[in-house]
Amino acid sequence: DGGITQSPKYLFRKEGQNVTLSCEQNLNHDAMYWYRQDPGQGLRLIYYSQIVNDFQKGDIAEGYSVSREKKESFPLTVTSAQKNPTAFYLCASGEQGYASGELFFGEGSRLTVL
Amino acid sequence: ILNVEQSPQSLHVQEGDSTNFTCSFPSSNFYALHWYRWETAKSPEALFVMTLNGDEKKKGRISATLNTKEGYSYLYIKGSQPEDSATYLCAPSFDYKLSFGAGTTVTVRA
């Protein structure tokens, strides 16, 4: 089946540790995105990548890092510099550009910092 | 971060009744307006992508309209069914980035 796979679904982390969330897609999409959801708020864009080996900061990139070495993969690292990392993280992919292409989402990863 | 308002935040509707809710957004530099349905424990799924002022789109009992000049979109559900229970997200696109609203959570009571 074509789609987006995020792992792990649930993750617990101690303060001061880095953690990497995986996102893999087999839809042959050029663009991939990471969003964060907090209660009562809309999805906020962390990082996005329109093509392999290129990515841009979104609205809340501080404390996060990404890589895009392969078209299929866009892992997100939550670093110890992220002040409030407990959240729900969604990965998405789509055709390059937002004007006509819908986004396809994974099922999300919930990170809890203990 | 652009201000995208969705109202109401939540609503309850009786099965068989129709309902509608709103998405408001800044009208400048607008590219497109996306609507997504997000059911509990599932991934958000696209309902519509609209680009032109006056666009109307329909999928089954759900339809949406777009006014880019005044910066709003309505989503309508006709004859609500329990399977329509979900959070509906709108996301206008500006400069090739989507800005999501907080969503309207619809609960359909049987």
Side-chain angles (χ1 to χ4, degrees):
Chain A
D1 276 6
I4 297 184
T5 302
Q6 287 187 242
S7 63
K9 204 165 185 175
Y10 299 95
L11 187 59
F12 297 88
R13 185 193 95 175
K14 291 182 181 178
E15 277 194 34
Q17 288 181 335
N18 292 357
V19 64
T20 297
L21 307 180
S22 169
C23 178
E24 303 277 331
Q25 55 103 354
N26 60 4
L27 300 168
N28 201 33
H29 286 157
D30 287 313
M32 296 186 74
Y33 311 89
W34 274 105
Y35 290 92
R36 168 182 171 137
Q37 189 198 33
D38 295 283
Q41 296 192 42
L43 300 178
R44 291 184 290 166
L45 182 63
I46 304 171
Y47 266 98
Y48 64 105
S49 168
Q50 297 277 35
I51 201 165
V52 175
N53 292 322
D54 188 42
F55 49 83
Q56 286 80 40
K57 293 182 180 180
D59 300 314
I60 55 164
E62 187 175 346
Y64 299 98
S65 66
V66 292
S67 63
R68 187 83 188 278
E69 296 174 3
K70 299 187 298 181
K71 189 174 187 178
E72 305 78 27
S73 178
F74 191 41
L76 173 75
T77 297
V78 185
T79 76
S80 55
Q82 168 48 235
K83 290 186 172 60
N84 187 18
T86 294
F88 186 73
Y89 292 88
L90 270 175
C91 178
S93 72
E95 300 295 338
Q96 203 175 64
Y98 282 115
S100 58
E102 65 192 75
L103 293 190
F104 294 79
F105 286 88
E107 292 190 342
S109 295
R110 186 168 296 281
L111 172 63
T112 303
V113 174
L114 304 172
Chain B
I1 298 177
L2 292 164
N3 188 26
V4 180
E5 299 275 348
Q6 288 191 248
S7 64
Q9 187 175 9
S10 64
L11 62 90
H12 291 78
V13 60
Q14 200 67 31
E15 182 177 358
D17 288 350
S18 297
T19 189
N20 65 83
F21 38 93
T22 310
C23 172
S24 302
F25 52 88
S27 54
S28 57
N29 298 322
F30 171 86
Y31 281 103
L33 190 285
H34 296 223
W35 279 102
Y36 291 85
R37 176 166 58 198
W38 194 358
E39 296 178 66
T40 303
K42 293 186 178 180
S43 312
E45 288 185 343
L47 286 171
F48 307 112
V49 178
M50 298 186 285
T51 56
L52 299 176
N53 184 46
D55 255 356
E56 290 188 29
K57 294 217 172 177
K58 188 175 179 181
K59 184 183 279 189
R61 294 177 291 97
I62 300 178
S63 60
T65 61
L66 177 64
N67 183 320
T68 61
K69 294 186 189 305
E70 296 180 40
Y72 66 83
S73 175
Y74 290 127
L75 193 111
Y76 301 88
I77 304 176
K78 184 178 177 182
S80 303
Q81 299 297 310
E83 59 265 30
D84 297 327
S85 296
T87 296
Y88 292 82
L89 304 175
C90 81
S93 169
F94 303 92
D95 298 329
Y96 294 96
K97 292 194 293 183
L98 285 182
S99 294
F100 282 85
T104 293
T105 299
V106 175
T107 304
V108 181
R109 293 182 284 220

